[in-house]
Amino acid sequence: LARGIQHTSVRQAHRKYEPNFHDKYGNLVLLGGAAAFTAVWGYVFTQAGIEWGLSPVGRIAPKEWRE
């Protein structure tokens, strides 16, 4: 078994290196994902009407009980 593994690794070392999908498109996919992430969250934060106050003190009031 060890001899077979050694033989395979030697054979692959002599083979010419071919770029795989990640080598070719990895950075492009990463940049595309980052752009989509930024666009979606940018839209959410600017359009969703979020109030930027992190402290709930004075904002949360008990609801009137409905009978």
Side-chain angles (χ1 to χ4, degrees):
L1 178 69
R3 197 172 278 167
I5 292 169
Q6 197 176 20
H7 199 73
T8 304
S9 64
V10 167
R11 209 176 328 140
Q12 285 177 348
H14 287 294
R15 196 178 61 178
K16 199 166 58 172
Y17 179 74
E18 309 145 1
N20 62 14
F21 179 85
H22 296 289
D23 294 328
K24 286 182 182 175
Y25 305 111
N27 289 337
L28 197 66
V29 170
L30 187 69
L31 288 173
F37 177 88
T38 305
V40 168
W41 282 109
Y43 176 81
V44 167
F45 286 144
T46 57
Q47 303 298 315
I50 296 169
E51 283 188 24
W52 294 104
L54 299 178
S55 171
V57 176
R59 291 191 186 191
I60 298 173
K63 254 193 217 170
E64 293 297 324
W65 181 254
R66 281 178 279 168
E67 304 218 7

